[in-house]
């Protein structure tokens, strides 16, 4: 199993550009999450999904959108990039509501200039 | 609103020493308290976790102590090694599908173990 994979690893965007961060998992996990990690801070939840077709906002959803059309994939969309979105983005997944451990991907480092 | 507070921000210990990191939470509905370890350039990985029905959990050199009445929990790393140098995050979540089992993280502690 590859676990949780994220692409790209690094990206530089200009203000106002759009992009999609890709996340995929091959563990047949129902739950998936997007977090952002700013320097010296803990991870903040952006969006999460408890299954295909179901998404909900986390703590810091503004400026982002998600979709979950399959169990495996959970892309994160930035429509109008702003410098405040410069961060490291982590995707995570979890098996079911009865399990607790979240498995994290390697992250995408995004810089908006 | 910061629901999980972690201290210290950074910690330097000598090889063989004990590393102690503390966390305090506010929401009494939390029912799962994990610690994650993160190396530079990597995603966080689960180190050890505890449920509130026990006061201590030990796995090798790592121990979680949990004080429900004080709403505090801590990570103890015994016989700290240079390979333990990493950033450690405490977290808390509420189980169940309606909550999404979302993790609320502390700010992180950068641990350096000197040889």
């Amino acid at each position: 199993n590859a676990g949780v994979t994220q692409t790209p690893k690094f990206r530089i965007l200009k203000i106002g550009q759009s992009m999609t961060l890709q996340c995929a998992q091959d563990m047949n996990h129902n739950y998936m999450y997007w977090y952002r990690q700013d320097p010296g801070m803990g991870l903040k939840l952006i969006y999460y999904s408890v299954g295909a077709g179901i998404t909900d906002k986390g703590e810091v959803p503004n400026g982002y959108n998600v979709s979950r059309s399959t169990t495996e994939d959970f892309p994160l969309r930035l429509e109008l990039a702003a410098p405040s979105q410069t961060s490291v983005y982590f995707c995570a997944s979890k098996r079911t509501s009865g399990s607790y451990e979240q498995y994290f991907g390697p992250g995408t480092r995004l810089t908006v200039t | 609103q910061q629901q999980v507070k972690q201290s210290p921000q950074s910690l330097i210990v000598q090889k063989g020493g004990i590393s102690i990191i503390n966390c305090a939470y506010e929401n009494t509905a939390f029912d799962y308290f994990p610690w994650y370890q993160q190396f530079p350039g990597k995603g966080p990985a689960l180190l050890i976790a505890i449920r509130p029905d026990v006061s201590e959990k030990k796995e090798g050199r790592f121990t979680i102590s949990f004080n429900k009445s004080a709403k505090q929990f801590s990570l103890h790393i015994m016989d700290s090694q240079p390979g333990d140098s990493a950033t450690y995050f405490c977290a808390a979540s509420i189980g169940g599908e309606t909550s999404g089992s979302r993790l609320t993280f502390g700010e992180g502690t950068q641990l350096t173990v000197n040889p």
Side-chain angles (χ1 to χ4, degrees):
Chain A
N1 283 357
V4 180
T5 57
Q6 292 183 239
T7 55
K9 290 191 187 315
F10 305 94
R11 183 73 186 267
I12 299 175
L13 278 182
K14 293 192 185 302
I15 295 172
Q17 286 185 322
S18 302
M19 78 162 294
T20 299
L21 281 66
Q22 301 292 345
C23 174
Q25 53 89 12
D26 62 358
M27 298 176 283
N28 201 29
H29 285 177
N30 291 330
Y31 289 53
M32 295 187 76
Y33 308 84
W34 274 107
Y35 295 90
R36 60 176 287 173
Q37 183 178 26
D38 300 321
M41 303 289 288
L43 285 77
K44 303 283 188 190
L45 182 66
I46 305 171
Y47 270 95
Y48 68 100
S49 169
V50 300
I54 307 169
T55 62
D56 207 346
K57 295 177 181 178
E59 189 180 352
V60 289
N62 291 345
Y64 307 95
N65 276 301
V66 294
S67 59
R68 183 99 182 268
S69 57
T70 67
T71 299
E72 294 79 18
D73 301 296
F74 191 39
L76 178 71
R77 179 83 178 161
L78 283 71
E79 290 294 348
L80 291 170
S84 60
Q85 294 177 304
T86 294
S87 189
V88 181
Y89 292 83
F90 289 101
C91 180
S93 71
K94 185 176 80 72
R95 191 160 48 92
T96 65
S97 61
S99 67
Y100 284 87
E101 181 175 359
Q102 291 187 21
Y103 296 82
F104 284 79
T108 293
R109 183 175 295 274
L110 176 67
T111 302
V112 182
T113 62
Chain B
Q1 181 186 0
Q2 180 63 44
Q3 294 193 57
V4 179
K5 291 195 171 185
Q6 182 172 346
S7 62
Q9 269 191 315
S10 62
L11 180 63
I12 300 174
V13 300
Q14 293 300 119
K15 178 181 174 181
I18 302 173
S19 304
I20 301 174
I21 305 171
N22 301 299
C23 280
Y25 63 96
E26 298 170 6
N27 190 344
T28 55
F30 287 140
D31 63 355
Y32 173 70
F33 301 89
W35 284 90
Y36 278 81
Q37 180 187 54
Q38 184 180 32
F39 293 104
K42 304 291 186 183
L46 180 67
L47 184 63
I48 187 172
I50 197 168
R51 300 290 303 278
D53 52 349
V54 297
S55 60
E56 186 174 281
K57 183 173 181 180
K58 183 175 181 179
E59 290 184 0
R61 296 184 293 109
F62 302 92
T63 300
I64 299 180
S65 296
F66 186 81
N67 186 328
K68 190 173 181 178
S69 61
K71 293 189 285 185
Q72 295 176 345
F73 59 111
S74 59
L75 176 69
H76 296 235
I77 305 175
M78 311 299 288
D79 187 26
S80 298
Q81 299 296 313
D84 296 331
S85 297
T87 301
Y88 293 81
F89 293 96
C90 63
S93 74
I94 304 168
E97 189 164 323
T98 52
S99 72
S101 300
R102 295 167 289 175
L103 285 170
T104 299
F105 282 87
E107 300 94 332
T109 296
Q110 185 154 356
L111 172 66
T112 302
V113 182
N114 289 328

